[in-house]
Amino acid sequence: MSFDLNQTEDQRQIHDACRAMLAEHYPLSRLRGPATAESLAPLVAFGAFAFALPEAHGGAGFTLLDEALLHVQLGRHLISPAALAAPIAARIALDNGQLEQAVKITEGQTSVSAMVKTKNGILLLGNGAAVLGIIRQHDTMQLIDISQVNRDRKAAMAQGQPIFAIASLPAPKSNNVAKAQTSQTAQILVSAQLLGVAEGARDLAVEYAKIREQFGRPIGSFQAIKHHCANMALGVEKLSAQLDMAAIAVGKQSEDAAFQTAALARIAPNVALENARICIQIHGGIGFSAEADAHLFLKQAHVLRQLIGQTDFLALPAPMAPTREDT
Amino acid sequence: MNLDIEIDDNSFRLRARAWLRANLGVTSSDNIRHGGQTARKTATQWLAKCHAAGWSGVAWPREFGGQGLSPARLIIWYEEYTRARAPSALDCTFVGLNHAGPTLIACGSDTQKSFHLPRILSGKSIWCQGFSEPGSGSDLASLKTTGKVEDDMLVVNGQKIWSTCADLADYQELLIRTEPGSKRHRGLSWVICDMTLPGITVRPIENMAGVSHFAEVFYDDVRIPLSNVVGALHDGWNVAMTTLGFERKTAAIALQLELSVTVEDLITSAQAQPGTALSEQLADLRAEAAALRAMTYRAVLRDGGTPFDGSLIRLTFAELAQRIHRTAIDTLGAEALLDGPMVHDYLESYSETIAGGTAEIQRNIIAERILGLPREPRA
Ligand SMILES: Cc1cc2nc3c(=O)[nH]c(=O)nc-3n(C[C@H](O)[C@H](O)[C@H](O)COP(=O)(O)OP(=O)(O)OC[C@H]3O[C@@H](n4cnc5c(N)ncnc54)[C@H](O)[C@@H]3O)c2cc1C
């Protein structure tokens, strides 16, 4: 396994550009107040949805790891799940030989939403106007035409993320199923966003711990708060390492790809939820209010957690040593 | 230790149960915790009904209009109260009954007591607490809101925050710095503040569950008669500390029992198959709730103890409540993304480890005051 994690100048530049684009178009302040549909136009213009697609398919040809790192940034900005749906939908289209469809998706002409199953039906997250929806059923994912499907706006837990109920979906077609690699890629990108949530919560909390004073000193000087912050850092380190591992394994289609992704999918929601919880706690009263951003990280972690999908991890063979392709 | 849990006073239990059954028009599921004038009306009407029938101020001494129930009867009352699903004890009457009233009983003048106590008991006046400030939460003693003595008046300037029900309240227990230049715990006074006075502005703050039951309060030359100071002028810290034990004990019974009901409701609704991870988790939560109940009952029934013992119960409660509500929404699957009572309670549960002393502060208290470890450095 060539485990090249050192970024090239190109990679550094594109990630810096991404950060600037997100700061300009997706400040967290946009999420205060009533939930509205998010415009994905700046992301489309950036090429975010075709980032790691082959150049032959209109993509930018970056690696899956690069794309994952992009989604870490998206995660920090608590972007609508529609931004996860698009790159996955494009891949499902390509998996089924629908190049034209894929291009329309990555260029924002065809809108896609993520869907999740509930006990009684289906929820559509983010973009209520979407004409395509992605849903995960067991280990596979499907891309479904939902243009004719009725949807009802629902009161959501999460400010900032509109949510709609759908009673039933049209019967699935055979040419809309994701290949295994695409399904794993979806878990990688959702996990990357969860890492972004975990990082964002950590940074918000650490910054606050440095400036908020009680008893005449910054609260970050109290060991209780220091340990909370350190625990958030531990969570981020663990999750980001596993993200690298899984993104590389899936990108190269190594034999441990399923194992690494399944491990990632179990860790990611827990780290994000825990960091968001600690972030609220470190903020004290203001953390419990809607006026600080801490709660937004928690709610986004809940949304992403529903999208990740769990596999039967114990049924997968464990790689006893790192998989070596280049031996 | 003489721990004699004698809570089989059956005739009292039946009397409480019969009365609750016959009179409960509202239940805990009514919109009482969501704030607003409707919530105030529901809560105060219910309290008035309790009062008329001799069920208000169950823990207050009889000479001040309360019921003076023994600890054992207090437990029985709250058991029946919770079983009947009567309104949560955490409604807008909470501060008056569990905090302001007991403080007035302990430290108030006769005039203050005879005016305010009957109003609190009957639901005529609602109280809120104005202790925390933007710069003074955990470090309450650093508070800056001032009251300048001018003849027989205090002229109050400053700001309080997180004052629960301030938008509904008639009176506020206001802790302010009355001795110019005083530091920390010295020079503070505990004052009865009439919320209708000129110069007071209340701005409700939305919480992360999307409701506004706390508020910011601004004081701009608010003139409060000196006769509204409770206890001695400049002795407010001691006044504030008198009721620490009372509040934590009685409120703890009601809250603990509500939590037990939440666990049982969750066990019923989850329908977990034996041997699954969920059923194991629910069994653990049920056992934890049982142990918390044991802690609570023991604290209420046994004599002695220190005011700091409340921290053990408070913290155990807070963290268990959060675990229970988290498990509850985990049973919902993707429906956890929709608004609903379980999701609402889950979001609200984040306040448990912040309000009334954060989890970190409670652990400091346990370590320093109960275990005698060296104190943290302080300002
Ligand atoms: C729902 C709710 C209702 C409330 N109702 C009222 C009310 O009615 N009236 C009222 O007066 N107040 C009320 N409060 C305020 C509450 O008492 C304060 O929020 C609480 O004391 C914490 O203060 P703070 O918010 O300023 O946080 P801070 O004190 O700034 O704390 C921030 C973080 O630092 C930590 N920290 C601070 N000092 C230390 C230390 N020495 N060691 C370790 N960690 C430390 C805290 O634990 C916390 O994690 C309410 C709060 C909430 C959330």
Side-chain angles (χ1 to χ4, degrees), chain A residues 119 212 214 228 281 290 299 302, chain B residues 134-135 208 331 346 353 360:
Chain A
K119 287 173 199 152
R212 171 68 173 173
Q214 288 289 274
H228 280 325
Q281 183 64 25
K299 291 167 182 173
H302 276 290
Chain B
M208 62 180 273
T331 66
Y346 162 72
T353 48
E360 292 73 25

Side-chain angles (χ1 to χ4, degrees), chain B residues 9-340:
Chain B
D9 184 346
N10 214 33
S11 63
F12 177 77
R13 184 183 291 282
L14 293 178
R15 190 153 66 81
R17 186 177 301 175
W19 185 81
L20 284 161
R21 195 172 285 164
N23 291 281
L24 199 64
V26 282
T27 71
S28 47
S29 56
D30 286 340
N31 207 10
I32 221 157
R33 287 169 80 173
H34 289 235
Q37 287 299 335
T38 346
R40 175 180 168 142
K41 212 168 140 206
T42 323
T44 52
Q45 280 174 352
W46 167 239
L47 184 59
K49 212 171 185 181
C50 291
H51 181 58
W55 292 112
S56 177
V58 279
W60 292 22
R62 294 189 80 89
E63 55 171 318
F64 299 110
Q67 309 308 323
L69 295 188
S70 67
R73 284 195 164 186
L74 213 51
I75 287 174
I76 295 173
W77 164 252
Y78 281 119
E79 283 183 349
E80 291 304 320
Y81 189 90
T82 316
R83 190 199 307 271
R85 305 207 172 220
S88 165
L90 260 184
D91 64 20
C92 64
T93 65
F94 182 87
V95 171
L97 286 170
N98 294 284
H99 203 263
T103 305
L104 292 174
I105 290 172
C107 309
S109 69
D110 287 344
T111 324
Q112 290 166 347
K113 284 189 279 214
S114 62
F115 181 83
H116 287 290
L117 296 181
R119 285 175 167 75
I120 292 173
L121 285 169
S122 62
K124 273 207 193 74
S125 51
I126 293 301
W127 282 66
C128 63
Q129 184 186 57
F131 285 13
S132 306
E133 296 181 4
S136 309
S138 299
D139 183 13
L140 183 59
S142 68
L143 66 84
K144 291 196 188 70
T145 299
T146 54
K148 194 168 162 228
V149 183
E150 279 184 23
D151 305 324
D152 56 353
M153 285 288 182
L154 277 170
V155 183
V156 178
N157 280 288
Q159 180 189 353
K160 295 289 174 179
I161 196 168
W162 317 127
S163 186
T164 305
C165 294
D167 54 332
L168 305 176
D170 306 293
Y171 296 96
Q172 185 180 49
E173 29 178 64
L174 185 57
L175 195 59
I176 49 176
R177 195 163 294 285
T178 44
E179 191 180 331
S182 63
K183 290 262 147 57
R184 312 282 312 152
H185 314 81
R186 285 172 297 277
L188 305 177
S189 295
W190 199 109
V191 182
I192 302 168
C193 172
D194 178 343
M195 293 298 280
T196 62
L197 287 175
I200 295 182
T201 311
V202 177
R203 187 185 72 91
I205 304 175
E206 188 179 319
N207 72 18
M208 62 180 273
V211 294
S212 307
H213 39 211
F214 50 29
E216 236 169 340
V217 186
F218 302 89
Y219 311 81
D220 181 14
D221 282 337
V222 177
R223 299 175 66 82
I224 301 177
L226 261 182
S227 57
N228 278 18
V229 172
V230 174
L233 187 69
H234 309 326
D235 194 32
W237 187 263
N238 286 325
V239 176
M241 291 302 123
T242 0
T243 44
L244 211 64
F246 182 93
E247 182 199 1
R248 299 224 158 122
K249 275 190 182 177
T250 52
I253 310 175
L255 293 182
Q256 195 288 320
L257 286 164
E258 280 178 32
L259 194 61
S260 292
V261 170
T262 308
V263 175
E264 295 308 314
D265 284 354
L266 177 57
I267 291 170
T268 309
S269 74
Q271 304 258 325
Q273 295 301 313
T276 57
L278 177 60
S279 81
E280 289 294 307
Q281 215 178 337
L282 292 171
D284 281 343
L285 293 176
R286 189 185 228 188
E288 297 278 341
L292 172 62
R293 189 156 167 184
M295 284 171 75
T296 312
Y297 283 17
R298 188 170 68 172
V300 173
L301 292 167
R302 99 174 142 193
D303 302 326
T306 77
F308 306 114
D309 292 347
S311 286
L312 296 167
I313 293 176
R314 179 76 193 94
L315 184 56
T316 307
F317 171 85
E319 293 183 343
L320 179 59
Q322 289 178 346
R323 272 176 65 193
I324 290 169
H325 289 294
R326 169 65 195 274
T327 306
I329 67 148
D330 284 352
T331 66
L332 293 177
E335 272 166 24
L337 299 182
L338 298 176
D339 198 12

Side-chain angles (χ1 to χ4, degrees), chain A residues 200-261:
Chain A
R202 175 202 60 192
D203 292 350
L204 193 66
V206 168
E207 279 316 302
Y208 190 72
K210 287 177 186 166
I211 56 161
R212 171 68 173 173
E213 290 192 4
Q214 288 289 274
F215 303 100
R217 64 199 67 213
I219 57 170
S221 69
F222 298 120
Q223 197 175 48
I225 298 298
K226 271 199 197 96
H227 285 190
H228 280 325
C229 292
N231 286 336
M232 289 193 284
L234 289 169
V236 162
E237 185 62 18
K238 169 173 74 184
L239 176 52
S240 71
Q242 185 59 29
L243 177 67
D244 286 348
M245 186 69 120
I248 289 169
V250 172
K252 297 187 157 202
Q253 294 192 261
S254 318
E255 60 188 82
D256 62 341
F259 177 93
Q260 302 297 0
T261 312

Side-chain angles (χ1 to χ4, degrees), chain A residues 4 70-71 90 102 146 231 237 251 291:
Chain A
D4 191 4
L70 182 95
H71 279 270
I146 55 167
N231 286 336
E237 185 62 18
E291 297 187 358

